[in-house]
Each structure stands twice: as C-alpha cells, then as structure tokens.
Coordinates of all heavy atoms in Angstrom, one line a residue:
M1 N 154.4 257.1 124.1 CA 153.6 256.0 123.5 C 154.2 255.8 122.0 O 154.6 256.6 121.4 CB 152.2 256.3 123.4 CG 151.3 255.1 123.3 SD 149.5 255.6 123.2 CE 149.2 255.3 121.5
A2 N 154.1 254.5 121.6 CA 154.6 254.2 120.2 C 153.7 254.7 119.2 O 152.4 254.7 119.4 CB 154.9 252.7 120.1
D3 N 154.3 255.0 118.1 CA 153.5 255.6 116.9 C 152.7 254.4 116.5 O 153.1 253.2 116.3 CB 154.5 256.0 115.8 CG 153.8 256.5 114.6 OD1 152.4 256.4 114.6 OD2 154.4 257.2 113.7
P4 N 151.3 254.6 116.3 CA 150.5 253.4 115.9 C 150.8 252.9 114.6 O 150.3 251.8 114.1 CB 149.0 253.9 116.0 CG 149.1 255.4 116.0 CD 150.5 255.7 116.6
L5 N 151.4 253.7 113.7 CA 151.8 253.4 112.4 C 153.1 252.6 112.2 O 153.6 252.5 111.1 CB 151.7 254.5 111.4 CG 150.3 255.1 111.1 CD1 150.4 256.3 110.2 CD2 149.4 254.0 110.6
T6 N 153.7 252.2 113.3 CA 154.9 251.5 113.4 C 154.8 250.2 114.1 O 153.9 250.0 114.9 CB 156.1 252.3 114.1 OG1 155.8 252.5 115.4 CG2 156.3 253.6 113.3
Y7 N 155.7 249.3 113.8 CA 155.7 248.0 114.6 C 157.1 247.8 114.9 O 158.1 248.2 114.3 CB 155.0 246.9 113.8 CG 155.7 246.5 112.6 CD1 156.6 245.5 112.5 CD2 155.4 247.2 111.4 CE1 157.2 245.1 111.4 CE2 156.1 246.8 110.2 CZ 157.0 245.9 110.1 OH 157.5 245.5 109.0
I8 N 157.3 246.7 115.8 CA 158.7 246.4 116.2 C 159.0 245.1 115.3 O 158.2 244.0 115.2 CB 158.7 245.9 117.6 CG1 158.3 247.1 118.6 CG2 160.1 245.4 118.0 CD1 159.1 248.2 118.4
C9 N 160.1 245.2 114.5 CA 160.5 244.0 113.7 C 160.9 242.8 114.5 O 161.5 242.9 115.5 CB 161.8 244.5 112.8 SG 162.3 243.1 111.9
P10 N 160.2 241.7 114.2 CA 160.4 240.5 115.0 C 161.8 239.9 114.8 O 162.2 239.0 115.5 CB 159.4 239.5 114.4 CG 159.1 240.0 113.1 CD 159.2 241.4 113.1
F11 N 162.5 240.3 113.8 CA 163.9 239.9 113.5 C 165.0 240.7 114.2 O 165.8 240.1 114.7 CB 164.2 239.8 111.9 CG 163.2 238.9 111.2 CD1 162.1 239.4 110.5 CD2 163.4 237.5 111.3 CE1 161.2 238.5 109.9 CE2 162.5 236.6 110.7 CZ 161.4 237.2 109.9
C12 N 164.8 242.0 114.1 CA 166.0 242.8 114.6 C 165.5 243.8 115.7 O 166.3 244.6 116.2 CB 166.6 243.5 113.4 SG 165.5 244.7 112.6
D13 N 164.2 243.7 116.1 CA 163.6 244.5 117.2 C 163.7 246.0 116.9 O 163.7 246.8 117.8 CB 164.3 244.3 118.6 CG 164.0 242.8 119.0 OD1 163.0 242.4 118.6 OD2 164.8 242.2 119.7
R14 N 163.9 246.3 115.7 CA 163.9 247.8 115.3 C 162.4 248.2 115.1 O 161.5 247.5 114.8 CB 164.6 248.1 113.9 CG 166.1 248.3 114.1 CD 166.5 248.6 112.6 NE 167.9 248.7 112.6 CZ 168.5 249.8 112.1 NH1 167.9 250.8 111.5 NH2 169.8 250.0 112.1
E15 N 162.2 249.6 115.3 CA 160.8 250.1 115.0 C 160.7 250.4 113.5 O 161.6 251.1 113.0 CB 160.7 251.5 115.8 CG 159.2 251.8 115.9 CD 159.0 253.0 116.8 OE1 160.0 253.4 117.5 OE2 157.9 253.6 116.9
V16 N 159.8 249.8 112.8 CA 159.6 249.9 111.5 C 158.2 250.5 111.1 O 157.2 250.2 111.8 CB 159.7 248.5 110.8 CG1 159.6 248.6 109.2 CG2 160.8 247.7 111.3
R17 N 158.3 251.4 110.2 CA 157.0 252.1 109.7 C 156.2 250.9 108.9 O 156.7 250.2 108.1 CB 157.3 253.3 108.9 CG 156.1 254.2 108.7 CD 156.5 255.6 108.3 NE 155.3 256.4 108.1 CZ 154.6 256.9 109.1 NH1 155.0 256.8 110.4 NH2 153.5 257.6 108.9
V18 N 154.8 250.9 109.2 CA 154.0 250.1 108.4 C 154.0 250.4 106.9 O 153.9 251.5 106.5 CB 152.6 250.1 108.9 CG1 151.6 249.3 108.1 CG2 152.5 249.7 110.4
G19 N 154.3 249.3 106.1 CA 154.2 249.4 104.7 C 155.5 249.6 104.0 O 155.7 249.5 103.0
K20 N 156.5 249.8 105.0 CA 158.1 250.0 104.5 C 158.8 248.6 105.0 O 158.5 248.0 105.9 CB 158.6 251.1 105.2 CG 158.0 252.6 104.9 CD 158.2 252.9 103.7 CE 157.5 254.4 103.5 NZ 157.5 254.8 101.9
P21 N 159.8 248.4 104.1 CA 160.7 247.3 104.6 C 161.4 247.7 105.9 O 161.8 248.8 105.9 CB 161.6 247.0 103.4 CG 161.6 248.3 102.6 CD 160.2 248.9 102.9
C22 N 161.7 246.7 106.7 CA 162.6 247.0 107.8 C 163.9 247.4 107.5 O 164.7 246.8 106.6 CB 162.8 245.7 108.6 SG 163.8 245.9 110.1
P23 N 164.4 248.7 107.7 CA 165.8 249.1 107.4 C 166.8 248.2 108.0 O 167.9 248.1 107.4 CB 165.8 250.5 107.9 CG 164.7 250.6 109.0 CD 163.7 249.6 108.7
G24 N 166.7 247.8 109.1 CA 167.7 246.8 109.8 C 167.9 245.6 109.1 O 169.0 245.1 108.8
C25 N 166.7 245.0 108.6 CA 166.8 243.6 107.9 C 167.2 243.8 106.4 O 167.9 243.0 105.9 CB 165.5 243.0 108.0 SG 165.0 242.5 109.7
A26 N 166.8 245.0 105.9 CA 167.2 245.2 104.5 C 168.6 245.3 104.2 O 169.2 244.7 103.2 CB 166.5 246.5 104.0
K27 N 169.4 245.8 105.1 CA 170.8 245.9 105.0 C 171.5 244.5 105.0 O 172.3 244.3 104.2 CB 171.3 246.7 106.2 CG 171.6 248.3 105.9 CD 172.2 249.0 107.0 CE 171.2 249.9 107.6 NZ 171.6 250.4 108.9
K28 N 171.1 243.7 106.0 CA 171.8 242.5 106.1 C 171.0 241.3 105.7 O 171.2 240.3 106.2 CB 172.1 242.3 107.6 CG 171.0 242.4 108.6 CD 171.4 242.0 109.9 CE 170.1 242.0 110.8 NZ 170.1 241.5 112.1
S29 N 170.2 241.5 104.7 CA 169.4 240.4 104.2 C 170.2 239.5 103.5 O 170.9 239.8 102.6 CB 168.2 241.0 103.3 OG 168.9 241.4 102.1
K30 N 170.0 238.3 103.8 CA 170.8 237.2 103.2 C 169.8 236.5 102.2 O 168.6 236.5 102.3 CB 171.2 236.1 104.2 CG 172.3 236.8 105.2 CD 172.6 235.6 106.2 CE 172.6 236.2 107.6 NZ 172.5 235.3 108.7
P31 N 170.4 235.7 101.3 CA 169.4 234.8 100.4 C 168.8 233.9 101.3 O 169.2 233.3 102.2 CB 170.4 234.0 99.5 CG 171.7 234.9 99.6 CD 171.8 235.6 100.8
A32 N 167.6 233.5 100.9 CA 166.5 232.7 101.7 C 167.1 231.3 101.9 O 166.8 230.7 102.9 CB 165.2 232.5 101.0
A33 N 168.0 230.8 101.0 CA 168.5 229.5 101.2 C 169.4 229.4 102.3 O 169.5 228.3 103.1 CB 169.2 229.0 99.9
T34 N 170.2 230.4 102.5 CA 171.3 230.3 103.6 C 170.7 230.9 104.9 O 171.2 230.6 105.9 CB 172.4 231.2 103.2 OG1 172.0 232.6 103.1 CG2 173.1 230.8 101.9
R35 N 169.6 231.6 104.8 CA 169.1 232.1 106.2 C 168.4 230.9 107.0 O 167.9 230.0 106.5 CB 167.9 233.1 105.8 CG 167.5 234.0 106.9 CD 166.5 235.0 106.4 NE 165.4 234.5 105.6 CZ 164.3 234.2 106.1 NH1 164.1 234.2 107.4 NH2 163.3 233.7 105.4
K36 N 168.7 231.1 108.4 CA 168.2 230.1 109.2 C 166.7 230.1 109.3 O 166.1 231.3 109.3 CB 168.7 230.3 110.6 CG 168.4 229.2 111.5 CD 169.2 229.4 112.9 CE 168.7 228.3 113.9 NZ 167.3 228.5 114.4
K37 N 166.0 229.1 109.1 CA 164.6 229.0 109.0 C 164.0 229.1 110.5 O 164.5 228.6 111.4 CB 164.1 227.7 108.5 CG 162.7 227.6 108.1 CD 162.3 226.4 107.3 CE 163.1 226.4 105.9 NZ 162.6 225.5 105.0
R38 N 163.0 230.0 110.5 CA 162.3 230.2 111.7 C 161.4 229.1 112.0 O 160.9 228.5 111.1 CB 161.6 231.6 111.8 CG 162.4 232.8 111.4 CD 163.2 233.2 112.6 NE 164.2 234.2 112.2 CZ 164.8 235.1 112.9 NH1 164.5 235.0 114.3 NH2 165.7 235.9 112.6
S39 N 161.0 229.0 113.3 CA 160.1 227.8 113.7 C 158.7 227.9 113.0 O 158.1 226.8 112.8 CB 160.0 227.7 115.1 OG 159.4 228.9 115.6
W40 N 158.3 229.1 112.7 CA 157.0 229.2 112.2 C 157.0 229.1 110.6 O 155.9 229.2 110.0 CB 156.3 230.5 112.5 CG 156.9 231.7 112.2 CD1 156.8 232.4 110.9 CD2 157.8 232.5 112.9 NE1 157.6 233.5 110.9 CE2 158.2 233.6 112.1 CE3 158.4 232.4 114.2 CZ2 159.2 234.5 112.5 CZ3 159.3 233.4 114.6 CH2 159.7 234.4 113.7
E41 N 158.1 229.2 110.0 CA 158.3 229.1 108.6 C 158.3 227.7 108.1 O 158.7 226.7 108.8 CB 159.5 229.7 108.1 CG 159.5 231.2 108.3 CD 160.9 231.9 108.0 OE1 161.9 231.3 108.2 OE2 160.8 233.1 107.5
Q42 N 157.8 227.5 106.9 CA 157.7 226.1 106.3 C 158.4 226.0 105.0 O 158.7 227.0 104.4 CB 156.2 225.7 106.2 CG 155.5 226.5 105.4 CD 154.0 226.1 105.3 OE1 153.5 225.3 106.1 NE2 153.1 226.6 104.6
D43 N 158.7 224.7 104.5 CA 159.2 224.7 103.2 C 158.4 225.2 102.1 O 157.2 225.2 102.2 CB 159.4 223.0 103.0 CG 160.5 222.5 104.0 OD1 161.4 223.2 104.3 OD2 160.3 221.3 104.2
K44 N 159.0 225.4 101.1 CA 158.3 225.9 99.8 C 157.4 224.7 99.4 O 156.3 224.9 98.7 CB 159.3 226.2 98.7 CG 159.9 227.6 98.9 CD 159.0 228.7 98.4 CE 159.6 230.1 98.5 NZ 158.6 231.0 99.0
S45 N 157.9 223.4 99.6 CA 157.1 222.4 99.1 C 155.6 222.3 99.9 O 154.7 221.7 99.5 CB 157.8 221.0 99.3 OG 158.1 220.8 100.7
C46 N 155.7 222.9 101.0 CA 154.3 222.9 101.7 C 153.4 224.2 101.4 O 152.4 224.3 101.9 CB 154.6 223.0 103.3 SG 155.5 221.5 103.9
D47 N 153.9 224.9 100.5 CA 153.2 226.1 100.1 C 151.9 225.6 99.2 O 151.8 224.5 98.6 CB 153.9 227.0 99.2 CG 154.9 227.9 100.0 OD1 154.6 227.8 101.2 OD2 155.6 228.7 99.5
G48 N 150.9 226.3 99.3 CA 149.7 226.1 98.5 C 148.8 225.1 99.3 O 149.2 224.4 100.1
L49 N 147.4 225.1 98.9 CA 146.5 224.3 99.6 C 146.3 223.1 98.9 O 145.6 222.1 99.3 CB 145.3 225.1 99.8 CG 145.3 226.2 100.6 CD1 144.1 227.0 100.7 CD2 145.6 225.8 102.1
D50 N 146.8 222.8 97.6 CA 146.6 221.8 96.8 C 145.1 221.4 96.6 O 144.6 220.3 96.7 CB 147.3 220.5 97.4 CG 147.6 219.4 96.4 OD1 147.6 219.8 95.2 OD2 147.6 218.2 96.8
L51 N 144.4 222.4 96.4 CA 142.9 222.3 96.1 C 142.6 222.0 94.7 O 143.5 222.1 93.8 CB 142.2 223.7 96.4 CG 142.3 224.1 97.8 CD1 141.7 225.6 97.9 CD2 141.4 223.2 98.7
P52 N 141.4 221.2 94.5 CA 141.1 220.9 93.1 C 141.0 222.2 92.2 O 140.5 223.3 92.8 CB 139.7 220.2 93.3 CG 139.5 220.0 94.7 CD 140.5 220.9 95.5
D53 N 141.3 222.0 91.0 CA 141.2 223.2 90.2 C 139.8 223.5 89.6 O 138.9 223.0 90.0 CB 142.3 223.1 89.0 CG 142.4 221.6 88.6 OD1 141.9 220.7 89.3 OD2 143.1 221.4 87.6
E54 N 139.8 224.4 88.6 CA 138.6 225.0 88.1 C 137.6 224.0 87.5 O 136.5 224.1 87.6 CB 138.9 226.0 87.1 CG 139.6 227.3 87.6 CD 138.7 228.1 88.6 OE1 137.6 228.3 88.2 OE2 139.2 228.4 89.6
D55 N 138.2 222.8 86.9 CA 137.4 221.8 86.3 C 136.7 220.9 87.3 O 136.2 219.8 86.9 CB 138.0 221.2 85.2 CG 139.2 220.4 85.7 OD1 139.7 220.8 86.7 OD2 139.8 219.6 84.8
F56 N 136.7 221.2 88.5 CA 136.3 220.4 89.6 C 134.7 220.3 89.5 O 134.0 221.3 89.4 CB 136.6 221.0 91.0 CG 136.0 220.2 92.1 CD1 136.5 218.9 92.5 CD2 134.9 220.7 92.9 CE1 135.9 218.3 93.5 CE2 134.4 220.0 93.9 CZ 134.9 218.7 94.2
D57 N 134.3 219.0 89.3 CA 132.8 218.8 89.0 C 132.1 218.6 90.4 O 132.2 217.5 91.0 CB 132.5 217.7 88.1 CG 131.1 217.6 87.7 OD1 130.2 218.2 88.3 OD2 130.9 216.6 86.9
Y58 N 131.4 219.6 91.0 CA 130.8 219.4 92.3 C 129.7 218.4 92.4 O 129.6 217.6 93.3 CB 130.3 220.8 92.8 CG 129.6 220.8 94.1 CD1 130.4 220.7 95.3 CD2 128.3 220.8 94.2 CE1 129.8 220.6 96.5 CE2 127.6 220.7 95.4 CZ 128.5 220.6 96.6 OH 127.9 220.6 97.9
D59 N 129.0 218.4 91.3 CA 127.8 217.4 91.3 C 128.3 216.0 91.3 O 127.8 215.1 91.9 CB 126.9 217.6 90.1 CG 126.2 218.9 90.2 OD1 125.8 219.4 91.3 OD2 125.9 219.6 89.2
D60 N 129.4 215.8 90.5 CA 130.0 214.5 90.4 C 130.6 214.1 91.7 O 130.4 213.0 92.3 CB 131.1 214.4 89.3 CG 131.8 213.1 89.3 OD1 131.1 212.1 89.1 OD2 133.0 213.1 89.4
F61 N 131.2 215.1 92.4 CA 131.7 214.9 93.7 C 130.7 214.4 94.8 O 130.9 213.5 95.6 CB 132.4 216.1 94.2 CG 132.9 216.1 95.6 CD1 134.1 215.3 96.1 CD2 132.2 216.8 96.6 CE1 134.4 215.3 97.4 CE2 132.6 216.7 97.9 CZ 133.7 215.9 98.3
V62 N 129.7 215.3 94.7 CA 128.4 214.9 95.7 C 127.9 213.4 95.4 O 127.6 212.7 96.4 CB 127.3 216.0 95.5 CG1 126.2 215.6 96.2 CG2 127.8 217.3 96.1
A63 N 127.8 213.2 94.1 CA 127.2 211.8 93.8 C 128.1 210.8 94.2 O 127.7 209.7 94.7 CB 127.1 211.7 92.2
R64 N 129.4 210.9 94.1 CA 130.4 210.0 94.6 C 130.4 209.8 96.2 O 130.4 208.7 96.7 CB 131.8 210.2 94.2 CG 132.1 209.7 92.7 CD 133.5 209.9 92.4 NE 133.9 211.3 92.0 CZ 134.8 212.0 92.6 NH1 135.3 211.5 93.7 NH2 134.9 213.3 92.4
E65 N 130.4 211.0 96.8 CA 130.6 211.0 98.2 C 129.3 210.5 99.0 O 129.2 209.9 100.0 CB 131.0 212.4 98.7 CG 132.3 212.7 98.4 CD 133.3 212.0 99.1 OE1 133.2 211.7 100.3 OE2 134.3 211.5 98.4
F66 N 128.1 210.9 98.4 CA 126.8 210.8 99.0 C 125.8 209.7 98.3 O 124.7 209.8 98.6 CB 126.1 212.0 99.3 CG 127.0 213.0 100.2 CD1 127.5 214.1 99.5 CD2 127.3 212.8 101.5 CE1 128.4 215.0 100.3 CE2 128.1 213.7 102.2 CZ 128.6 214.7 101.5
G67 N 126.4 209.1 97.4 CA 125.7 208.1 96.7 C 124.6 208.6 95.9 O 123.4 208.0 95.8
G68 N 124.8 209.8 95.3 CA 123.8 210.4 94.4 C 122.6 211.0 95.3 O 121.6 211.6 94.7
K69 N 122.6 211.1 96.5 CA 121.7 211.7 97.4 C 122.2 212.9 97.9 O 122.8 212.8 99.0 CB 121.1 210.8 98.3 CG 119.7 210.1 98.1 CD 119.4 209.0 99.1 CE 118.6 209.6 100.2 NZ 118.2 208.6 101.2
P70 N 122.2 214.1 97.4 CA 122.9 215.2 97.8 C 122.3 215.8 99.1 O 122.9 216.5 99.8 CB 122.8 216.2 96.7 CG 121.7 215.9 95.9 CD 121.4 214.3 96.0
H71 N 121.0 215.5 99.3 CA 120.4 216.1 100.5 C 120.0 215.1 101.5 O 119.4 214.1 101.1 CB 119.2 217.0 100.1 CG 119.6 218.1 99.1 ND1 120.4 219.1 99.4 CD2 119.3 218.2 97.8 CE1 120.5 219.9 98.4 NE2 119.9 219.4 97.4
R72 N 120.2 215.3 102.7 CA 119.8 214.5 103.8 C 118.3 214.6 104.0 O 117.8 215.7 103.9 CB 120.5 214.9 105.1 CG 120.4 213.9 106.2 CD 121.5 214.3 107.2 NE 121.3 215.7 107.7 CZ 120.5 216.0 108.7 NH1 120.0 215.1 109.4 NH2 120.3 217.3 109.1
Q73 N 117.7 213.5 104.3 CA 116.3 213.5 104.6 C 115.9 214.2 105.9 O 116.5 214.0 106.8 CB 115.6 212.1 104.6 CG 114.1 212.1 104.8 CD 113.8 210.6 105.1 OE1 114.5 209.7 105.2 NE2 112.4 210.5 105.3
I74 N 114.9 215.1 105.7 CA 114.6 216.0 106.8 C 113.3 215.5 107.3 O 112.4 215.2 106.6 CB 114.5 217.5 106.5 CG1 115.9 218.0 106.0 CG2 114.0 218.4 107.6 CD1 115.9 219.4 105.5
G75 N 113.1 215.5 108.7 CA 111.9 214.8 109.2 C 112.1 213.5 109.9 O 113.2 213.1 109.9
V76 N 111.0 213.0 110.4 CA 111.1 211.8 111.2 C 110.3 210.7 110.4 O 109.5 210.9 109.7 CB 110.5 212.0 112.6 CG1 111.4 212.9 113.4 CG2 109.1 212.4 112.6
K77 N 110.8 209.5 110.8 CA 110.2 208.3 110.1 C 108.7 208.2 110.7 O 108.4 208.6 111.7 CB 110.9 207.0 110.5 CG 112.4 207.1 109.9 CD 112.4 206.3 108.6 CE 114.0 206.0 108.2 NZ 114.3 206.6 107.0
W78 N 107.9 207.4 109.9 CA 106.5 207.2 110.2 C 106.3 206.6 111.6 O 105.4 207.0 112.3 CB 105.8 206.4 109.1 CG 106.2 205.2 108.9 CD1 107.3 204.7 108.0 CD2 105.8 203.8 109.5 NE1 107.5 203.5 108.1 CE2 106.7 202.8 109.0 CE3 104.9 203.6 110.6 CZ2 106.6 201.4 109.5 CZ3 104.8 202.3 110.9 CH2 105.6 201.3 110.4
Y79 N 107.1 205.6 111.9 CA 106.9 204.9 113.2 C 107.2 205.8 114.4 O 106.6 205.6 115.5 CB 107.7 203.6 113.2 CG 109.2 203.7 112.8 CD1 110.1 204.1 113.8 CD2 109.6 203.4 111.6 CE1 111.5 204.3 113.4 CE2 110.9 203.5 111.3 CZ 111.9 204.0 112.2 OH 113.1 204.1 111.8
W80 N 107.9 206.8 114.3 CA 108.1 207.7 115.4 C 106.9 208.6 115.6 O 106.6 208.9 116.8 CB 109.4 208.6 115.2 CG 110.7 208.0 115.2 CD1 111.5 207.8 114.2 CD2 111.2 207.2 116.3 NE1 112.6 207.0 114.6 CE2 112.4 206.6 115.9 CE3 110.7 207.0 117.6 CZ2 113.2 205.9 116.8 CZ3 111.6 206.3 118.5 CH2 112.8 205.7 118.1
W81 N 106.1 208.9 114.5 CA 104.9 209.6 114.6 C 103.9 208.8 115.4 O 103.2 209.2 116.3 CB 104.3 210.0 113.2 CG 105.0 211.2 112.7 CD1 105.9 211.2 111.7 CD2 104.8 212.5 113.1 NE1 106.2 212.5 111.4 CE2 105.7 213.4 112.3 CE3 104.0 213.2 114.1 CZ2 105.6 214.7 112.4 CZ3 104.0 214.5 114.3 CH2 104.9 215.3 113.4
I82 N 103.9 207.4 115.0 CA 102.9 206.5 115.7 C 103.3 206.4 117.1 O 102.4 206.5 118.1 CB 102.9 205.2 115.0 CG1 102.3 205.3 113.6 CG2 102.2 204.2 115.8 CD1 102.3 204.1 112.8
L83 N 104.5 206.2 117.5 CA 105.0 206.1 118.9 C 104.6 207.4 119.6 O 104.1 207.3 120.7 CB 106.5 205.9 119.0 CG 107.0 205.8 120.3 CD1 106.7 204.5 120.9 CD2 108.6 206.0 120.3
G84 N 104.7 208.6 119.1 CA 104.4 209.9 119.7 C 102.9 210.0 120.0 O 102.5 210.3 121.1
V85 N 102.0 209.5 118.9 CA 100.6 209.5 119.2 C 100.2 208.5 120.4 O 99.4 208.9 121.2 CB 99.9 209.2 117.9 CG1 98.4 208.9 118.2 CG2 100.1 210.3 116.9
I86 N 100.8 207.3 120.3 CA 100.5 206.3 121.4 C 100.9 206.9 122.8 O 100.1 206.9 123.8 CB 101.3 205.0 121.2 CG1 100.6 204.4 119.9 CG2 101.3 204.1 122.3 CD1 101.5 203.1 119.4
L87 N 102.1 207.5 122.9 CA 102.5 208.0 124.2 C 101.7 209.2 124.6 O 101.3 209.3 125.9 CB 104.0 208.6 124.0 CG 105.0 207.5 124.0 CD1 106.4 208.1 123.8 CD2 105.0 206.8 125.3
L88 N 101.1 210.0 123.7 CA 100.3 211.1 123.9 C 98.9 210.6 124.6 O 98.4 211.0 125.5 CB 100.0 211.9 122.7 CG 99.4 213.4 122.9 CD1 100.4 214.2 123.8 CD2 99.0 213.9 121.6
I89 N 98.4 209.5 123.9 CA 97.1 208.9 124.3 C 97.4 208.3 125.7 O 96.6 208.5 126.6 CB 96.7 207.8 123.4 CG1 96.2 208.5 122.1 CG2 95.6 206.9 124.0 CD1 96.0 207.4 120.9
L90 N 98.4 207.6 126.0 CA 98.7 207.0 127.3 C 98.8 208.2 128.4 O 98.3 207.9 129.5 CB 100.0 206.2 127.2 CG 99.9 204.9 126.5 CD1 101.2 204.1 126.5 CD2 98.9 204.0 127.1
M91 N 99.6 209.2 128.1 CA 99.7 210.3 129.0 C 98.3 210.9 129.3 O 98.0 211.2 130.5 CB 100.7 211.4 128.5 CG 102.1 210.9 128.6 SD 103.4 212.2 128.3 CE 103.1 212.4 126.6
T92 N 97.5 211.0 128.4 CA 96.2 211.7 128.5 C 95.4 210.7 129.4 O 94.7 211.2 130.3 CB 95.5 211.9 127.1 OG1 96.3 212.6 126.4 CG2 94.2 212.6 127.3
V93 N 95.3 209.4 129.1 CA 94.6 208.6 129.9 C 95.2 208.4 131.3 O 94.3 208.5 132.3 CB 94.6 207.1 129.2 CG1 94.2 206.0 130.1 CG2 93.8 207.1 127.9
G94 N 96.4 208.5 131.5 CA 97.0 208.5 132.8 C 96.6 209.6 133.6 O 96.3 209.6 134.8
A95 N 96.6 210.9 133.0 CA 96.2 212.0 133.6 C 94.8 212.0 134.1 O 94.5 212.4 135.2 CB 96.5 213.2 132.6
F96 N 93.9 211.5 133.3 CA 92.5 211.4 133.7 C 92.4 210.4 134.9 O 91.6 210.5 135.8 CB 91.6 210.9 132.6 CG 91.3 212.1 131.7 CD1 91.6 212.1 130.4 CD2 90.4 213.1 132.2 CE1 91.3 213.3 129.5 CE2 90.1 214.1 131.4 CZ 90.4 214.2 130.0
R97 N 93.2 209.3 134.8 CA 93.1 208.3 136.0 C 93.5 208.9 137.2 O 93.0 208.6 138.3 CB 93.9 207.0 135.6 CG 93.2 206.3 134.4 CD 94.0 205.1 134.1 NE 93.9 204.2 135.2 CZ 94.3 202.8 135.1 NH1 94.7 202.3 134.0 NH2 93.9 202.1 136.3
V98 N 94.5 209.8 137.2 CA 95.0 210.4 138.4 C 93.9 211.3 138.9 O 93.7 211.4 140.1 CB 96.4 211.1 138.2 CG1 96.7 212.0 139.3 CG2 97.5 210.1 138.0
C99 N 93.3 212.1 138.1 CA 92.2 213.0 138.5 C 91.1 212.4 139.1 O 90.3 212.9 139.9 CB 91.9 213.9 137.4 SG 93.1 215.1 136.8
L100 N 90.7 211.2 138.6 CA 89.5 210.5 139.2 C 89.7 209.8 140.5 O 90.6 209.6 140.8 CB 89.0 209.6 138.0 CG 88.4 210.2 136.7 CD1 88.1 209.1 135.7 CD2 87.4 211.1 137.0
Ligands
ZN1 ZN1 164.2 244.0 111.0

C-alpha cells in the first residue's frame, strides 16, 4: 500500500512526499512562459475575483439594488386573509349541509 503521506505527481507520475516539491519536476522545471499550459490552468489575467474593495458601501448597494427597501415584506396581503376566512366559512357551511 502507498504511503498516505505521498501522492503521485500529475506531471511526471513520480511518488512525491506531501509538502515537498516534486523531485522529478524540480530538475526539469522550465520557465512558466515556455511551459505548455495544462487544460485546467488559466491566464494570469484571469487571476483574482475582481471583487469590490474595502470601501464598498453595502447600504448604498442595497439601496440601489432594492430601491431602498432592504427587506422583503413577510406575510400575506389583507385580501388573502379575507379569502381564507370566506373559504373557511363556506367549507364549514358545506360540511353541515352534508351532515344534515
Ligand atoms: Zn513531478
């Protein structure tokens, strides 16, 4: 069984100890510019998340995005309550009519 503290280098298939540089790749390491790019690697220009920096005003952002109403109204409108009461009365009346 393989040592749990080692892994197989994806570049040269050597067994490498965790935390150490790959001895196979360290020998023949080329400059990054000349090295062929792997399919999962991306350009340096794609690095970073381009997130807003520290002076980001969250309240201003919320006001712009949600029109100054940061919180959604919770609950139901008054006419749904009336509809619910009417339906409850109708069902109660209907139940009594079936029983009689
Ligand atoms: Zn390697």
